[in-house]
Structure formats: structure tokens, C-alpha cells
Amino acid sequence: QVQLVESGGGLVQAGGSLRLSCAASGRTFSNYVMAWFRQAPGKEREFVASINWSGGSTYYADSVKGRSTISRDNAKNTVYLQMNNLKAEETAVYYCGAGSGIKIPTGVPVAHDMDYWGKGTLVTVSS
């Protein structure tokens, strides 16, 4: 059993920054890919960023590359997503997910690769 809890969402103006956190508990995450996805109303859940728990390799969607940074604090079992220069179209519920690394050899997961999900945190970017 793995539990993921997101936090850090809220209201931010376009051009502003926000840092999301995902606290994990229940199992060892050394063999898991951790990822952030987002989903706007009426749209598919889309990949944002991922990180390999042991190796520190990171991957980003093209839409956020250069503006976002995924990182981890293994001592706290926490993954972060720093988002800068936010755009109004990035308003969405942001979800933290964890998936077994052996199922994700590229390091870039799709939604169904995730074994565990948090309940999400809402990010609203106003223009």
C-alpha cells in the first residue's frame, strides 16, 4: 500500500511561480518512477514531468520544458514540481503518481502506467 498526498496548489497570477509537493508513504520507492500529471476539465490527463527515484534522471513535457523542474528529497520521501512563468492555460488539477520502474523503461510514463495516484491539488492561473 502506497499513499501519495499532493499539496501546494492554489491561485497564482500568470507569470508567477508555484511549487507543488507530493509526500509518499507506505513502501520503499527506490524502484519507482514518480511523475506529475495534470488534467483540466473535459481534457485528458497529460504528462508533465517525471523523475527516477534512484538515478535522478528527469523528463519533461515539451510544453513545460525550461520553465518547470521536478526534484526529490529522498530523506523526506517527497517529490516536488517547481513551476515558473505560469500560463493561464496551465490551470488544472495536478496529480502525483508512482509507477514501477520496470514497466517504464523510457522513464516517461503515460497515465495507465501509474500504480498509485494522489487525489490531486488544484492550480488556478489567472490572467
Side-chain angles (χ1 to χ4, degrees), residues 10-117:
L11 177 64
V12 62
Q13 293 186 11
S17 299
L18 209 59
R19 189 178 76 160
L20 307 182
S21 299
C22 173
S25 63
R27 290 285 184 178
T28 301
F29 285 82
S30 61
N31 63 337
Y32 275 81
V33 170
M34 304 295 296
W36 288 95
F37 287 74
R38 64 189 178 195
Q39 187 168 25
K43 294 188 176 181
E44 186 71 17
R45 189 170 298 190
E46 67 171 347
F47 170 77
V48 177
S50 64
I51 186 167
N52 182 291
W53 198 251
S54 59
S57 299
T58 59
Y59 306 88
Y60 300 92
D62 288 341
S63 61
V64 305
K65 196 172 298 180
R67 297 185 296 112
S68 297
T69 303
I70 187 170
S71 61
R72 65 181 185 270
D73 185 337
N74 288 341
K76 296 182 178 180
N77 287 326
T78 301
V79 176
Y80 305 95
L81 181 67
Q82 176 70 43
M83 299 184 291
N84 300 321
N85 195 22
L86 282 160
K87 304 174 181 179
E89 55 265 35
E90 294 180 294
T91 293
V93 176
Y94 283 69
Y95 296 92
C96 177
S100 176
I102 62 174
K103 298 191 301 181
I104 315 169
T106 66
V108 181
V110 295
H112 64 74
D113 289 328
M114 299 289 98
D115 298 311
Y116 303 96
W117 290 103

